[in-house]
């Protein structure tokens, strides 16, 4: 777990813009890096929330595209906004840690600088979390895509719709990836000693995995209250960073493994298998990222004794364990993928498709 002292000297202090007489109810933390085209919409959606008792901390992570000027303009016009400038680029995980260290709110919400909140998001989440005394509350969200991506806006629903949910082995993997559709108790975060890991990919998944393993009883709202924007400039969409993202994801998963071992939670290894099964495939089907990712993933699986479980439940991971460079038979790729598409939905179909993509390059 990261020591908070590592952040000493990495950022410059912000100037106070007025002193509040009482602790703000909610701190909203927004890491910002080269988000000139989107950050104004994000900030406006936060300042226009139906609840006004907010503290808004923006961490400008060495932006060089004009983002800094936009942030400073908003800071001048709204004393709830504080801008912290990092002295060196540290990534979204460490930027959030800086925000947490400087936060005063009873609850904390995270937003990405290229997304936006619906007006009632924080008020509705606050109402639910305070009514039940929950450590966190989770809501639905909307996927919004730029025109060139070619997909329409749509609501992403949670795996469960009941207001109260117990997050166990089978549901932990589905509740972990995103930060921005949740509101957290700051006390719960600090009591568990949680911080974000380094890197630009997987640090949110790691944080939520540890949070929900520590606090399995949570609450959720079956309403879409946040808009997640998909655009080609996003680091999660940029193929140039694919190998780095794959390695950072596996490093985050390895830290989750160590967390489970340290807390006697080995029974939750299948939740990590499910996360690997659903997240790893995007990093395996290009020569630039495949082999290094496979080696790392195989070592991680072996350390969790993957072969002792029902491996057929995880067809992609089963292929990774059995993968060999000698199996490359590219000329079979298209016929086998076609066969996998016409085969009835089953474990066999999923395994055939995974094996084909992995071995027939």
């Amino acid at each position: 777990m990261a020591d908070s002292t590592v952040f000493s000297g990495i950022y410059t202090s912000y100037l106070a813009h007025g002193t509040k007489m009482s602790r703000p109810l909610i701190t909203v933390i927004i890491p910002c890096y080269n988000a000139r085209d989107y950050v104004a919409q994000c900030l406006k959606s936060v300042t226009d929330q139906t609840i006004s008792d907010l503290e808004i901390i923006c961490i400008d992570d060495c932006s060089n595209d004009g983002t800094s000027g936009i942030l400073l303009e908003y800071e001048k016009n709204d004393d709830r906004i504080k801008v912290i400038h990092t002295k060196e680029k540290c990534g979204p995980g460490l930027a959030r840690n800086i925000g947490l260290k400087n936060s005063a709110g009873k609850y904390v919400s995270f937003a990405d600088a290229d997304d936006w909140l619906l007006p009632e998001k924080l008020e509705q989440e606050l109402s639910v979390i305070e009514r039940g005394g929950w450590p966190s509350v989770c809501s639905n969200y909307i996927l919004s895509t730029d025109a060139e991506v070619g997909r329409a806006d749509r609501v992403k629903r949670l795996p469960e719709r009941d207001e109260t949910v117990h997050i166990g082995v089978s549901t932990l993997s589905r509740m972990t990836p995103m930060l921005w559709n949740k509101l957290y108790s700051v006390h719960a975060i600090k009591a568990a000693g949680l911080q974000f890991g380094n890197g630009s990919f997987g640090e949110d998944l790691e944080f939520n995995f540890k949070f929900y393993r520590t606090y399995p009883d949570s609450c959720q709202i079956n309403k879409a209250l946040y808009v997640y924007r998909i655009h080609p400039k996003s680091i999660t969409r940029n193929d140039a960073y694919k190998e780095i993202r794959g390695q950072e994801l596996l490093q985050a998963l390895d830290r989750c493994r160590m967390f489970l071992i340290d807390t006697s939670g080995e029974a939750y290894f299948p939740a990590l298998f499910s996360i690997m099964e659903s997240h790893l495939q995007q990093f395996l089907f290009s020569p630039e990222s495949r082999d290094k990712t496979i080696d790392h993933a195989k070592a991680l699986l072996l350390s969790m004794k993957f072969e002792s479980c029902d491996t057929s439940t995880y067809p992609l991971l089963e292929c990774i364990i059995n993968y060999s460079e000698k199996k490359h038979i590219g000329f079979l790729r298209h016929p086998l993928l076609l066969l996998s598409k016409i085969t009835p939905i089953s474990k066999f179909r999923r395994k055939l498709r995974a094996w084909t993509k992995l071995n027939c390059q």
Side-chain angles (χ1 to χ4, degrees):
M1 192 169 297
D3 184 343
S4 61
T5 58
V6 301
F7 308 115
S8 177
I10 201 172
Y11 57 90
T12 56
S13 299
Y14 54 78
L15 295 174
H17 289 261
T19 301
K20 287 184 177 292
M21 295 301 294
S22 60
R23 180 185 187 186
L25 266 177
I26 299 175
T27 297
V28 181
I29 295 175
I30 311 172
C32 304
Y33 174 70
N34 286 359
R36 177 190 60 194
D37 296 337
Y38 307 112
V39 70
Q41 182 183 17
C42 176
L43 280 173
K44 188 174 189 306
S45 75
V46 179
T47 58
D48 289 351
Q49 287 290 296
T50 53
I51 180 173
S52 61
D53 191 5
L54 306 175
E55 173 187 53
I56 305 162
I57 300 179
C58 302
I59 300 90
D60 178 21
D61 196 15
C62 296
S63 297
N64 56 21
D65 70 338
T67 296
S68 303
I70 297 171
L71 294 177
L72 292 174
E73 190 65 28
Y74 268 85
E75 184 184 31
K76 272 193 274 183
N77 295 321
D78 192 325
D79 64 5
R80 297 174 299 173
I81 297 176
K82 303 177 179 69
V83 179
I84 300 175
H85 303 277
T86 61
K87 292 182 178 179
E88 57 188 67
K89 193 172 187 309
C90 61
L94 298 187
R96 293 187 192 102
N97 286 340
I98 293 170
L100 282 171
K101 184 176 181 179
N102 287 276
S103 66
K106 181 179 179 182
Y107 302 101
V108 63
S109 178
F110 300 97
D112 288 350
D114 50 1
D115 301 336
W116 69 96
L117 288 63
L118 296 188
E120 69 278 11
K121 177 185 188 291
L122 297 177
E123 184 176 19
Q124 292 207 15
E125 290 176 343
L126 178 67
S127 173
V128 173
I129 200 171
E130 292 234 296
R131 186 169 67 243
W134 303 104
S136 74
V137 63
C138 179
S139 57
N140 290 335
Y141 60 95
I142 298 170
L143 290 177
S144 176
T145 59
D146 284 352
E148 57 266 38
V149 179
R151 291 156 61 188
D153 292 0
R154 62 196 188 278
V155 174
K156 179 70 174 179
R157 301 217 174 265
L158 293 164
E160 308 286 345
R161 294 191 181 184
D162 296 332
E163 189 173 86
T164 304
V165 59
H166 179 81
I167 302 168
V169 176
S170 62
T171 52
L172 182 58
S173 63
R174 292 179 291 174
M175 293 293 288
T176 52
M178 293 82 63
L179 296 166
W180 27 254
N181 64 330
K182 300 175 177 70
L183 181 68
Y184 302 87
S185 160
V186 172
H187 173 76
I189 292 174
K190 292 182 176 179
L194 296 179
Q195 291 186 335
F196 288 91
N198 198 0
S200 300
F201 197 83
E203 82 293 340
D204 48 357
L205 185 154
E206 177 190 353
F207 179 89
N208 275 326
F209 187 93
K210 294 176 179 179
F211 185 92
Y212 286 114
R213 171 68 181 93
T214 306
Y215 303 105
D217 291 310
S218 191
C219 192
Q220 53 193 37
I221 305 171
N222 190 31
K223 294 179 182 178
L225 298 173
Y226 186 93
V227 184
Y228 172 62
R229 189 198 310 266
I230 299 175
H231 60 91
K233 295 179 182 178
S234 169
I235 189 170
T236 59
R237 307 284 296 180
N238 193 328
D239 286 344
Y241 297 98
K242 184 168 284 189
E243 182 176 341
I244 295 173
R245 294 201 310 269
Q247 292 302 307
E248 288 185 346
L249 173 63
L250 287 166
Q251 289 165 7
L253 291 171
D254 194 33
R255 291 192 293 268
C256 290
R257 176 187 68 88
M258 292 302 299
F259 172 79
L260 290 178
I261 292 172
D262 292 343
T263 57
S264 301
E266 289 89 344
Y268 279 76
F269 280 169
L272 285 181
F273 298 155
S274 295
I275 293 171
M276 293 177 72
E277 179 76 16
S278 61
H279 285 75
L280 275 183
Q281 56 181 316
Q282 62 182 301
F283 306 112
L284 296 176
F285 307 138
S286 64
E288 296 80 13
S289 61
R290 182 185 58 232
D291 291 341
K292 185 181 290 188
T293 302
I294 287 173
D295 289 343
H296 194 164
K298 187 182 292 189
L300 182 56
L301 289 169
L302 290 173
S303 71
M304 291 188 286
K305 300 180 181 178
F306 172 73
E307 291 178 299
S308 66
C309 75
D310 180 10
T311 60
S312 64
T313 306
Y314 314 99
L316 179 63
L317 302 187
E318 194 173 34
C319 290
I320 288 174
I321 283 290
N322 297 316
Y323 174 83
S324 169
E325 292 185 14
K326 295 179 181 179
K327 290 181 180 178
H328 283 183
I329 42 178
F331 67 93
L332 287 176
R333 175 178 173 83
H334 294 295
L336 286 174
L337 283 177
L338 178 61
L339 178 61
S340 72
K341 288 181 179 179
I342 63 176
T343 302
I345 295 176
S346 63
K347 285 185 179 180
F348 172 74
R349 172 179 172 173
R350 294 197 302 271
K351 185 171 182 178
L352 174 63
R353 189 165 182 82
W355 186 91
T356 302
K357 284 190 173 183
L358 198 58
N359 292 285
C360 302
Q361 299 297 327

